């Protein structure tokens, strides 16, 4: 729980959601997220883990590389991250919402003093009504490419901060059954108690612009479940997706925190 009994929610937004499956970051999508946070602020407090820095940079520049794709991606992240934060700041500011940036690396979660610093800093931000917007510090780490579009970062952060719920916004209506995918029907698995049974249902295909795919989302949900935290995998492309999921107005996958 957050302050004043508010439910603490970590919202993880993938690149496909932020671009609405185009080649450019959608300011309208970021505004949509801000409007929902504003509408829900009396009962919920939000922490955001946002991908998209590399996608933003690709709108502005084409870099010459040194033969190593990872170095180009890290350079793009360095260019794109301030632009991404500016878009969040501008859209949220117009709604009266305050934002803050937190850049983390996976090594930060392995050192107890770093873990305490992350927790203390983010708790102070939330107490003062600043929405933490978290991304991996891609310029010094290669994990974003390896770990899957910040899904693991969201799970580690959510666990550390004892959130009540993690919403992973993606470009599907949750996790589909393998049979329905093979038959091109796309039927959502709506309620999951046993993640091991879920494993056999997923495809290993990666999403088109993000680096995630469903495997990294299930891996994230497993970490969260081990920390007694519920995970929702929701289609973030449509407007109002957070409110609609809370009100059970859309179809999505809910992975319960207990077996």
């Amino acid at each position: 729980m957050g302050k004043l009994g508010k439910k603490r929610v970590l919202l993880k937004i993938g690149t496909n959601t932020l671009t609405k499956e185009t080649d450019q970051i959608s300011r309208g999508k970021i505004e949509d997220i801000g409007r929902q946070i504003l509408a829900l602020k009396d009962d919920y407090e939000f922490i955001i883990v946002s991908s998209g820095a590399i996608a933003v940079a690709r709108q502005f520049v084409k870099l010459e590389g040194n033969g190593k794709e990872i170095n180009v991606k890290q350079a793009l992240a360095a260019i794109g991250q301030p632009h991404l934060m500016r878009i969040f700041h501008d859209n949220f500011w117009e709604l009266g919402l305050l934002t803050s940036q937190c850049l983390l690396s996976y090594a930060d979660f392995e050192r107890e003093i770093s873990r305490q610093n992350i927790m203390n800093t983010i708790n102070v931000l939330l107490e003062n009504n600043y929405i933490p917007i978290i991304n991996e510090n891609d310029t010094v780490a290669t994990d974003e490419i390896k770990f899957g579009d910040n899904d693991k970062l969201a799970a580690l952060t959510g666990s550390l901060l004892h959130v009540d719920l993690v919403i992973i916004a993606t470009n599907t209506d949750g996790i589909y059954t393998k049979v329905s995918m093979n038959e091109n029907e796309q039927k959502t698995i709506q309620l999951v108690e046993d993640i091991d049974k879920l494993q056999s249902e997923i495809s290993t295909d990666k999403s088109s612009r993000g680096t995630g795919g469903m495997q990294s989302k299930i891996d994230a949900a497993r970490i969260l479940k081990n920390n007694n935290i519920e995970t929702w995998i929701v289609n973030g492309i449509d407007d109002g997706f957070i409110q609609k999921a809370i009100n059970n107005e859309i179809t999505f996958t809910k992975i319960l925190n207990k077996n």
Side-chain angles (χ1 to χ4, degrees):
M1 279 288 179
K3 68 172 187 175
L4 302 175
K6 291 184 181 181
K7 202 166 188 180
R8 179 174 285 188
V9 178
L10 186 143
L11 172 65
K12 184 266 168 176
I13 318 164
T15 301
N16 270 312
T17 300
L18 282 176
T19 60
K20 294 184 81 168
E21 300 188 286
T22 68
D23 292 324
Q24 297 202 332
I25 294 292
S26 166
R27 291 170 187 269
K29 175 46 58 183
I30 290 178
E31 182 182 341
D32 168 54
I33 291 164
R35 288 189 181 282
Q36 294 180 80
I37 289 173
L38 184 65
L40 294 165
K41 69 181 177 62
D42 289 344
D43 299 310
Y44 296 85
E45 66 181 19
F46 283 87
I47 300 157
I48 295 174
V49 171
S50 176
S51 303
I54 293 169
V56 174
R58 284 186 167 139
Q59 294 175 211
F60 297 104
V61 295
K62 181 166 176 57
L63 293 187
E64 295 300 320
N66 58 0
K68 292 185 178 177
E69 174 67 10
I70 182 70
N71 292 357
V72 174
K73 286 190 172 182
Q74 287 172 314
L76 286 168
I79 294 164
Q81 183 62 30
H83 286 291
L84 179 64
M85 283 305 304
R86 179 173 50 81
I87 298 167
F88 267 109
H89 173 272
D90 290 352
N91 280 279
F92 279 38
W93 181 265
E94 287 182 9
L95 297 167
L97 299 171
L98 303 171
T99 55
S100 55
Q101 173 182 263
C102 301
L103 293 178
L104 304 177
S105 67
Y106 287 94
D108 295 328
F109 291 91
E110 294 168 1
R111 297 188 297 268
E112 184 55 34
I113 190 163
S114 299
R115 287 166 55 85
Q116 283 296 324
N117 285 338
I118 294 166
M119 192 160 56
N120 293 339
T121 300
I122 292 177
N123 280 329
V124 169
L125 289 168
L126 290 168
E127 284 165 16
N128 288 277
N129 297 314
Y130 278 81
I131 300 166
I133 300 176
I134 299 165
N135 199 353
E136 187 180 350
N137 191 358
D138 289 328
T139 54
V140 297
T142 59
D143 295 330
E144 198 236 5
I145 289 86
K146 289 191 296 187
F147 281 102
D149 211 31
N150 282 338
D151 293 320
K152 186 175 181 182
L153 182 63
L156 294 174
T157 304
S159 299
L160 181 62
L161 294 166
H162 307 295
V163 301
D164 297 290
L165 172 66
V166 170
I167 299 174
I168 298 178
T170 186
N171 60 339
T172 64
D173 297 334
I175 300 173
Y176 301 135
T177 66
K178 186 174 277 188
V179 170
S180 71
M181 288 292 284
N182 291 341
E183 295 174 357
N184 210 23
E185 288 179 354
Q186 300 175 331
K187 183 180 179 185
T188 299
I189 303 167
Q190 295 189 46
L191 202 63
V192 177
E193 294 184 4
D194 186 342
I195 289 184
D196 292 331
K197 288 181 181 175
L198 186 64
Q199 189 67 54
S200 62
E201 293 285 357
I202 66 147
S203 164
T204 55
D205 293 343
K206 294 209 181 300
S207 54
S208 56
R209 289 168 190 81
T211 57
M214 279 302 161
Q215 182 61 58
S216 67
K217 290 164 181 52
I218 290 175
D219 292 343
R222 192 183 297 277
I223 292 169
L224 291 162
K225 190 180 181 75
N226 288 339
N227 286 278
N228 202 31
I229 298 167
E230 193 165 294
T231 305
W232 296 359
I233 300 174
V234 179
N235 193 328
I237 305 294
D238 294 335
D239 287 348
F241 66 95
I242 306 168
Q243 290 168 287
K244 288 174 181 174
I246 288 171
N247 295 326
N248 277 313
E249 294 170 359
I250 55 174
T251 302
F252 64 96
T253 298
K254 184 181 290 188
I255 300 171
L256 301 180
N257 59 352
K258 292 187 177 73
N259 284 318

